[in-house]
Amino acid sequence: MRIFAIETSCDETALSFIEAHGSPETGDFSYTVLGETLLSQAALHAQYGGVFPNLAKREHAKNLTPLLIETLTQAGSLKSKSDLDSKSDFDFETLLEREPELLAQLRVFMPTYGKPDIDALAVTVGPGLEPALWVGINFAKALSLAWDLPIIPVNHMEGHLLMALVQNPSESSKPEKNITPHSESVLPRPGLEQVFPLVALLVSGGHTELILSEQFGSYKILGETRDDAAGECFDKCARIIGLPYPGGPEISKLAAIARSEFLEERISSLPRPMIHEKSYEFSFSGLKTAVRNAWANDTATWESETHKQMAYALEIENAIVEVLVKKTMYAVSESGAVTLVVSGGVSANTHLKETLQQKCVETSIQLLTPTPSLATDNARMIAITGYLHQSETAESNSITAQGQLRLG
Ligand code: KG4
Ligand code: ZN
């Protein structure tokens, strides 16, 4: 089955075209990436210190059609329109009345190119920024109308979770953001005998959740953040200490240097919110406030501004990671899980991964994380999730953006 997936929930415009076979339940699932594109808007949002929803929406609308052309070209599926492709005039006006730029581009695209060999579309319907989600959904609806294809609505967080169960061995050493088409993979990862029950820590710019799953497609939220997400905390703390957006990778880079230069204990320790509570809840907004106060009232003499930033970055990373690790390992031990999945943008954090890896070795739990380029937002996870939910197609009219969509 050939699935074409669209992801626009935040500040990444991403498309993925895969061919998948088999089922994870019978252990014979495999897929090939035929074409894949991803355009990050992070640099554009940097000036706002976070994602600006209307800018994200505009950028998605501008980029989707060029990325569609590129993705189909990679797959060898961009064909000129022939007489067999009879329809060429579609009523996109009503569908795309809120996306004039997308409408204008599709008005050129559709009469030029024929229907590619696609069986179904998969699109992220939530959670995420609603204006951004709507662009992807309306794009999917337009393609569905033009090419007469079913649409599978996908939960973005399930995508993050499932991505960790799939490994592409050829990709493990690739640099971040370098997603290559024509690679194959299987799910579950080769060598995995038992995956369930699993606990998943899903940590991104918008979410911090602990999920329990006993089988594919069945999820229970054990706990989540009461306020800021872990990634949001990284981003906001980074901004306070003068680092650009997205702050997670910046803090992580400086913290690694600071750790090797023994800059620990140069500032007084920051709070580890809720770390001693026997619950699966998180709260990160107090940490951000503590960083703001400590930074503003810092009277120490520093060798340089960079040294100061490095010392703060180290303590911020340590505080966030310690809380995440403590709560996660508590969930793993209480639930009897055999697998720990860590996914979402923050799972690209090396210190978090290394600390969890050590804990998992000590407790004989298998730890699964996606390669960094597939831990952050991407459309492959949407394609795979769409394939696994292939029977759950929805009527175009009934598909809406669900900013607060939950798992389970
Ligand atoms: O999953 P994602 O790409 O988008 C959302 O759905 O939010 O996650 C983005 C978040 C940002 O907050 C970013 O700062 C954080 O993931 N992030 C990291 C790292 N790489 C990305 N946080 C800590 N360390 C990293 N290496
Ligand atoms: Zn995400």
Side-chain angles (χ1 to χ4, degrees):
M1 182 178 194
R2 290 173 153 231
I3 304 236
F4 192 92
I6 301 154
E7 156 62 40
T8 63
S9 68
C10 193
D11 59 349
E12 249 102 37
T13 319
L15 299 177
S16 179
F17 186 15
I18 67 164
E19 178 161 344
H21 302 276
S23 145
E25 272 102 4
T26 47
D28 61 349
F29 172 86
S30 70
Y31 77 91
T32 305
V33 178
L34 305 171
E36 202 160 72
T37 49
L38 184 147
L39 208 81
S40 173
Q41 306 167 8
L44 288 175
H45 293 280
Q47 59 186 306
Y48 303 102
V51 183
F52 188 59
N54 281 330
L55 175 62
K57 170 189 151 87
R58 262 199 321 271
E59 286 297 308
H60 290 316
K62 189 171 85 188
N63 296 327
L64 277 168
T65 310
L67 292 184
L68 170 67
I69 293 173
E70 165 67 20
T71 311
L72 292 177
T73 304
Q74 286 175 12
S77 300
L78 192 70
K79 294 174 286 189
S80 299
K81 198 157 188 88
S82 75
D83 294 342
L84 292 173
D85 300 300
S86 52
K87 280 204 282 180
S88 67
D89 198 21
F90 309 96
D91 180 20
F92 289 150
E93 307 291 337
T94 325
L95 194 57
L96 298 176
E97 63 184 352
R98 285 162 175 239
E99 340 282 359
E101 194 159 5
L102 191 52
L103 176 65
Q105 293 190 1
L106 284 178
R107 285 217 156 280
V108 177
F109 177 88
M110 283 303 169
T112 312
Y113 300 106
K115 178 182 173 178
D117 186 7
I118 296 173
D119 298 307
L121 300 163
V123 65
T124 304
V125 295
L129 305 168
E130 290 203 354
L133 288 164
W134 268 118
V135 187
I137 291 171
N138 284 331
F139 185 64
K141 290 182 180 187
L143 298 185
S144 161
L145 179 69
W147 294 336
D148 195 20
L149 292 172
I151 305 178
I152 308 157
V154 171
N155 181 316
H156 179 89
M157 301 313 287
E158 185 176 12
H160 275 306
L161 194 158
L162 292 178
M163 199 66 245
L165 302 185
V166 183
Q167 187 190 32
N168 185 340
S170 65
E171 238 172 22
S172 48
S173 57
K174 288 245 169 70
E176 294 189 24
K177 296 287 172 202
N178 187 0
I179 300 173
T180 326
H182 307 290
S183 43
E184 286 184 25
S185 187
V186 293
L187 182 157
R189 294 177 178 201
L192 271 193
E193 280 169 18
Q194 194 189 343
V195 179
F196 300 102
L198 68 78
V199 161
L201 170 68
L202 303 183
V203 260
S204 67
H207 292 84
T208 301
E209 289 174 356
L210 280 166
I211 311 277
L212 175 65
S213 174
E214 311 262 357
Q215 61 185 61
F216 283 107
S218 144
Y219 309 101
K220 180 180 172 210
I221 299 181
L222 296 174
E224 60 200 314
T225 183
R226 294 180 177 174
D227 40 56
D228 292 352
E232 191 178 358
C233 184
F234 268 113
D235 295 338
K236 287 177 173 171
C237 291
R239 195 174 185 194
I240 293 167
I241 66 169
L243 298 173
Y245 173 85
E250 298 291 328
I251 288 196
S252 168
K253 234 183 295 166
L254 289 192
I257 306 171
R259 205 169 276 118
S260 68
E261 294 191 4
F262 307 105
L263 284 181
E264 262 124 344
E265 294 167 19
R266 286 288 301 274
I267 62 169
S268 40
S269 77
L270 292 166
R272 271 68 170 154
M274 302 181 74
I275 197 164
H276 297 301
E277 285 185 30
K278 294 221 166 296
S279 77
Y280 308 120
E281 307 271 290
F282 301 89
S283 167
F284 287 108
S285 73
L287 179 55
K288 162 197 71 193
T289 310
V291 171
R292 183 177 297 124
N293 291 338
W295 184 260
N297 300 320
D298 192 313
T299 51
T301 310
W302 292 93
E303 299 88 316
S304 68
E305 184 72 3
T306 310
H307 272 84
K308 186 176 167 189
Q309 285 176 318
M310 286 198 300
Y312 274 79
L314 177 58
E315 178 59 12
I316 293 164
E317 185 178 71
N318 282 343
I320 297 174
V321 167
E322 276 173 37
V323 174
L324 291 175
V325 169
K326 182 83 188 289
K327 299 271 173 174
T328 303
M329 295 316 293
Y330 178 58
V332 168
S333 73
E334 290 291 299
S335 66
V338 296
T339 306
L340 170 61
V341 159
V342 187
S343 192
V346 180
S347 76
N349 184 281
T350 310
H351 182 55
L352 174 65
K353 270 194 295 198
E354 286 177 357
T355 314
L356 283 172
Q357 183 64 60
Q358 196 186 333
K359 297 274 177 204
C360 284
V361 168
E362 285 164 19
T363 48
S364 302
I365 300 291
Q366 59 192 343
L367 172 66
L368 303 180
T369 53
T371 56
S373 62
L374 295 167
T376 48
D377 288 352
N378 66 85
R380 192 184 309 181
M381 67 186 199
I382 306 306
I384 290 167
T385 310
Y387 174 76
L388 297 178
H389 288 279
Q390 59 188 270
S391 60
E392 297 165 35
T393 58
E395 275 301 313
S396 189
N397 285 344
S398 72
I399 302 175
T400 55
Q402 298 164 64
Q404 305 298 325
L405 184 65
R406 291 167 67 79
L407 256 187

